Amino acid sequence: MAESIFDMAPVTEPERQYYFIENARVLLGRKEEELHHPLSFHVTTFGCQMNARDSEKMTGILADMGLMESENETESDIVLFNTCTIRDNANQKFYGHLGTLGGKNQRNRDRIVAVCGCMAQEPECVEKLSKSYKFVNIIFGTHNIYKLAELICRHLEGEEHVVDVWDKPGEIVEDIPSIRKYPFKSGVNIMFGCNNYCTYCIVPYVRGNERSREAKEIIRECEKLASDGVKEVMLLGQNVNSYGNGIEGSISFPELLREVEKVDGIERIRFMTSHPKDLSDELIQVMKDSKKICRHIHLPLQSGSTRILKAMNRRYTREQYLELAMKIRREIPDIAITTDIIVGFPGETTEDVDDTVDMIHRVKYDGAFTFVYSPRTGTPAASMDGRQPKEWIKREFDRVLTAVQDESKEMAARFLGNTETVLVEDINEQDPGLVTGRMSNNLMVHFPGDRSLIGKLVDVKLTECKGFYYMGER
Ligand code: SAH
Ligand code: SF4
Ligand code: F3S
């Protein structure tokens, strides 16, 4: 029997993947000749910053295989969906989208459709895709995105349906190609997975246990990004405050921040997400001393009621959270504190929501994402009693939302008249005479300017507060 490309593949990573990228390039080149048009790809990303970063890596792999990135999903030859399953509406959105594509898929039989990410880690989802969406050719999970080229080779070499989902994470593979969405800012994974098992949350099940990257790899990546022109990095992890746990001799998160601060060319440092239970005084001190760490902290509250927090397994009380938030406000007065809140957790009462609303007024959040509780299969909360009816949830959700909006409007207004440094991100969508950028505290500012400012840090005077954003001038 003739030797296949799989027999000759290197066993070590990332060499193995570079080998498959080369092979995919040859195989796709042949397909291109058959079809008489250059092949293209499209990646659709759902969910959080982790997924966004994973998609940048997969985009890098696809581009290295010689494919062109296309804006047009239905016309693309390889269509990849990186999915999210944090709440049921995320799943429904994806199935709806996939159904529409399936209808159009009939016209493009040569197209390769691939689904990966958090939904693919759930067996029910793989089953549903295999049964009802037969045009999906490749399914893989969150732990093996670096193998995209290999999976595509398997399909190109004759495997009609390739399914490769790992129930546990494998090694952390470094040095995979990546193409960033923005030339001037980038996410940097510092850890993967989560060990916290909040009772409502699916992430530990679909992303695996918590694993930190080596500090020297993180610094090396930041240095490389800086030499590529990146000015802002966002350090990513489900709970960055527990960075380094489990690596012998590892540095802590505040120490890591100090190291990233030393990287020349990096002007701004952000991070997501900070679990309140592990936020140390050292972190507050490092933020306070830093010239580069942005004046913003995302500190998910989830609920203002100690009873509900306990049922959620958040491991802090209402008092502990409040004390922490007040300490941060005291030490770093110009900081923005944002949060996540869930309404409708099993057993939640109107009094519990009162506690949440009270907390919103005490902390005075600069911004908050409010979510309706969504039961996730396999999580402890999914089998808890005491779910409230829809009308109750709608009413209480609105109450929380109003409190958040009132506070954040007031908080945003406190910067009027200041001159702030803004990283310009884009031309304003509505008015091409304006550019849009972000202040250190993450608020958006629109001001007169042109394309040449994109990616630059400029000083802008805040002349008018529009509620949740500013108008300004240089
Ligand atoms: N690791 C982060 C959160 C990641 S998920 C942290 O612990 O802070 C982002 C947000 O989604 C969570 O903060 C929570 O508010 C919300 N969320 C997670 N699971 C949910 C569920 N089952 N229903 C509704 N909201 C949920
Ligand atoms: Fe989910 Fe909790 Fe982990 Fe955040 S800390 S990802 S909410 S389990
Ligand atoms: Fe969604 Fe997975 Fe992120 S479930 S929120 S994409 S970790």
Side-chain angles (χ1 to χ4, degrees), residues 132-197:
S132 313
Y133 299 86
K134 288 204 164 42
F135 58 89
V136 174
N137 307 102
I138 304 175
I139 302 174
F140 58 108
T142 56
H143 304 309
N144 52 347
I145 58 147
Y146 67 91
K147 282 191 171 256
L148 177 60
E150 181 172 346
L151 302 176
I152 289 178
C153 282
R154 276 170 58 182
H155 176 67
L156 291 170
E157 287 289 71
E159 235 181 285
E160 179 59 24
H161 290 105
V162 180
V163 179
D164 192 12
V165 180
W166 303 356
D167 58 359
K168 279 197 186 65
E171 58 182 325
I172 296 179
V173 178
E174 302 282 354
D175 297 320
I176 291 295
S178 105
I179 290 186
R180 294 189 313 277
K181 195 165 168 209
Y182 299 95
F184 51 86
K185 66 172 184 180
S186 179
V188 173
N189 298 108
I190 65 167
M191 55 212 295
F192 304 95
C194 183
N195 279 353
N196 289 306
Y197 292 94

Side-chain angles (χ1 to χ4, degrees), residues 86-87 200 238 273 300 302 314 340 342 371-372 374 376:
I86 196 81
R87 287 167 290 274
Y200 51 81
Q238 295 298 351
T273 300
Q302 314 302 359
R314 289 292 287 180
D340 293 341
I342 297 176
F371 306 109
V372 171
S374 170
R376 310 315 290 138

